């Protein structure tokens, strides 16, 4: 699904301007890096797309949905089409890896047999097969990261949003995760990755949008990581 | 329905993985419902006692010799406070007298012509209706005398009435406090899972799907607590009945098993309902927080 933001401003009470007059158009099946200094508004932008936040001004549409007109009752169904890897993972701590991933499908009312097959497939894909009965506190940071990715992709969403999916990971693990994201994208899913990972951005060149103080500063087809203020 | 099966599984998960909290909620519900049940039984017995006393209140109006009861009957029939009136003819009165005297009944025949007057037996709705009724009857020229059960019964009834009012207030307060205590216990239990609930909302679970296990859990704990409370009440009440019978034989206490059974079923239903409603309200707060776009 394509994503269109036009004139989007997000102001947090009382007067923190997190995003200001942002225009962004992402086509269906595109891969996009979102970069920018800390506090530049990356997370805010992703949360506007997943409709955790509502814009103060402007319009956001995803596929044929105008998010402003989305009704509360439709929200769960919309969110099933948008897989999100949260910056802080948000895994359910007392459920196993398998249960965490299976939960998304169960909530959709899918029968147990199908849930098990699909959840196992995805867990295997992110390389956690042997950890599938462990709980998040028993996993390393990188492993938790991959559970979060598995959970976000298990129901094959049309849009995939990842907020610093390689934060605090070593280079090799980061690259593994990147390949995973690219494979998700290769299946036709629109992917947006907010990141500070210079190595990653420069080794796997993709479209890049840089935010600065809540405004779009750069939008390049195969941009290099260079963030104002970070040298 | 896969969703329903998942909900049942998650209910079991909630109950077993947080069994300490579940046990605490169960015990809280049981104690609170026990107190509520106790207060209700007390109030029920008060009402019962009053109705028994009021049922026993009979006003008897005797006519003057040679007068019929027609005038007095008209007066009593027109009063809305009168529950029932019975006209006693001199013949019936004589029959009653004979029955009362038993083997001395022969003495009655010695009276020759029946000397007994017409009379009325009147039952009123409430104790406080007696005094005005007596006053009205007394001024009728056809009425000779009015007898009623006396001041003692009247006082007793007034006291019971006051205690019924008090027990009603106590009952209402207990009901309020019970609901609040159960709600708060459940709310605290659910609060410890608020982040989980919000995450579930974020990954596209519907509020209904998320709430269902909590609602089932609340229902099970409420009903379980009620069951414990009923067992406790049953044994307390049985020994109370025993004690009253052996020491205060004149006090009327409810022993009707059907009525008590109905009351316990009601208490069970109330426990289950309070449980699921409180859970539903508590979990709804967190799901709706997750649904709201800030
Ligand atoms: N819920 C909120 N309430 C108030 N202010 C907020 C909220 N969320 C974000 N902000 C503010 O909005 C601005 C942008 O924050 P955002 O989290 O989008 O930055 P970011 O680009 O994701 O930063 P980082 O790289 O550190 O994750 C910051 O100044 C932040 O303090
Ligand atoms: Mg961020």
């Amino acid at each position: 699904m394509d994503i269109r933001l036009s004139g989007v401003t997000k102001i947090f009470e009382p007067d923190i301007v997190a995003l200001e007059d942002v225009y962004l158009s992402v086509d269906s099946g595109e891969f996009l890096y979102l970069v920018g200094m800390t506090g530049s508004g990356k997370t805010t932008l992703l949360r506007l797309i997943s409709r955790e936040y509502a814009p103060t001004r402007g319009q956001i549409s995803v596929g044929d949905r105008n998010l402003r007109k989305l009704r509360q009752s439709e929200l769960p169904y919309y969110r099933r089409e948008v897989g999100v890897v949260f910056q802080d993972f948000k895994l359910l701590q007392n459920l196993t890896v398998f249960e965490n991933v299976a939960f998304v499908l169960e909530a959709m009312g899918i029968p147990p047999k199908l849930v098990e097959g699909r959840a196992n497939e995805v867990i295997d894909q992110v390389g956690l097969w042997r950890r599938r009965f462990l709980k998040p506190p028993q996993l390393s940071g990188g492993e938790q990261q991959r559970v979060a990715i598995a959970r976000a992709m298990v129901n094959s969403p049309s849009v995939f949003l990842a907020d610093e999916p390689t934060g605090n990971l070593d280079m090799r693990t980061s690259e593994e995760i990147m390949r995973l994201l690219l494979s998700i994208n290769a299946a036709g899913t629109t992917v947006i990755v907010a990141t500070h990972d210079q190595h990653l951005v420069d080794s796997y060149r993709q479209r890049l949008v840089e935010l600065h103080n809540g405004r779009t500063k750069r939008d390049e087809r195969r941009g290099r990581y260079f963030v104002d203020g970070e040298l | 329905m896969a969703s329903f099966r998942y909900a049942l599984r998650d209910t079991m998960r909630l109950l077993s993985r947080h069994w300490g909290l579940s046990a605490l909620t169960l015990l809280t519900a049981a104690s609170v419902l026990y107190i509520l049940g106790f207060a209700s039984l007390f109030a029920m017995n008060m009402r019962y006692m009053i109705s028994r006393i009021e049922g026993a209140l009979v006003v008897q109006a005797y006519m003057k010799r040679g007068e019929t009861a027609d005038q007095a009957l008209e007066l009593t029939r027109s009063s809305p406070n009168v529950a029932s009136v019975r006209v006693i003819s001199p013949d019936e009165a004589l029959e009653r007298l004979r029955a009362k005297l038993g083997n001395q009944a022969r003495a009655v025949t010695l009276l020759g012509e029946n000397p007994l007057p017409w009379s009325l037996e009147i039952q009123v709705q409430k104790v406080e209706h007696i005094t005005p009724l007596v006053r009205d009857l007394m001024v009728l020229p056809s009425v000779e005398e009015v007898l009623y059960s006396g001041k003692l019964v009247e006082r007793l009834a007034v006291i019971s009435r006051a205690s019924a009012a008090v027990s009603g207030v106590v009952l209402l307060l207990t009901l309020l406090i019970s609901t609040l205590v159960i709600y708060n216990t459940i709310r605290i239990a659910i609060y410890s899972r608020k982040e989980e609930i919000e995450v579930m909302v974020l990954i596209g679970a519907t509020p209904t799907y998320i709430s269902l296990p909590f609602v089932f859990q609340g229902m099970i704990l409420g009903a379980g607590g009620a069951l414990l409370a009923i067992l406790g009440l049953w044994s307390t009440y049985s020994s109370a009945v025993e004690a009253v019978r052996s020491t205060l034989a004149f006090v009327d206490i409810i022993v009707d098993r059907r009525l008590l059974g109905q009351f316990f079923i009601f208490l069970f239903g109330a426990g289950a309902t309070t449980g699921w409603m409180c859970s539903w309200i508590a979990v709804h707060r967190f799901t709706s927080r997750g649904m709201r776009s800030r």
Side-chain angles (χ1 to χ4, degrees), chain A residues 142-195:
Chain A
E143 286 165 346
Q144 292 187 39
Q145 190 78 266
R146 282 183 280 162
V147 180
I149 293 173
R151 183 181 68 185
M153 65 187 275
V154 70
N155 61 337
S156 317
S158 319
V159 171
F160 194 92
L161 309 175
D163 200 349
E164 301 198 29
T166 60
N168 303 317
L169 296 185
D170 60 63
M171 215 176 271
R172 241 197 68 202
T173 318
S174 297
E175 286 184 4
E176 273 172 28
I177 284 179
M178 188 60 198
R179 279 194 285 274
L180 206 56
L181 296 176
L182 288 170
S183 76
I184 293 169
N185 179 238
T189 304
T190 313
V191 177
I192 302 184
V193 181
T195 184

Side-chain angles (χ1 to χ4, degrees), chain A residues 90-157:
Chain A
K90 293 199 196 298
L91 299 175
L92 303 180
Q93 299 300 312
N94 47 20
L95 295 188
T96 64
V97 169
F98 175 82
E99 289 166 341
N100 262 285
V101 176
F103 178 83
V104 180
L105 300 172
E106 290 173 357
M108 293 167 70
I110 294 170
K113 274 268 171 295
L114 297 179
V115 169
E116 196 182 332
R118 174 63 183 160
N120 280 335
E121 181 187 332
V122 175
I123 289 168
D124 192 29
Q125 213 174 329
V126 299
L128 289 175
W129 180 251
R130 295 171 65 186
R131 305 264 189 284
R132 68 189 187 283
F133 296 127
L134 296 183
K135 293 179 181 176
Q138 300 166 302
L139 300 175
S140 75
E143 286 165 346
Q144 292 187 39
Q145 190 78 266
R146 282 183 280 162
V147 180
I149 293 173
R151 183 181 68 185
M153 65 187 275
V154 70
N155 61 337
S156 317

Side-chain angles (χ1 to χ4, degrees), chain B residues 125-154:
Chain B
Q125 310 271 15
K126 289 186 171 159
V127 199
E128 55 264 34
H129 298 144
I130 289 184
T131 322
L133 179 70
V134 171
R135 206 189 301 123
D136 289 349
L137 284 168
M138 291 290 267
V139 297
L140 290 181
S142 59
V143 173
E144 171 80 33
E145 194 182 7
V146 181
L147 295 179
Y148 65 103
S149 325
K151 282 266 179 277
L152 177 71
V153 174
E154 212 171 301

Side-chain angles (χ1 to χ4, degrees), chain A residues 12-13 16 18 36-45 47 53 87 163-164 196, chain B residues 294:
Chain A
F12 289 105
E13 292 301 324
I16 300 170
M37 288 196 310
T38 248
S40 58
K42 304 183 291 296
T43 299
T44 304
L45 197 149
R47 286 184 174 168
Y53 293 160
Q87 198 164 359
D163 200 349
E164 301 198 29
H196 284 291
Chain B
R294 281 164 292 164

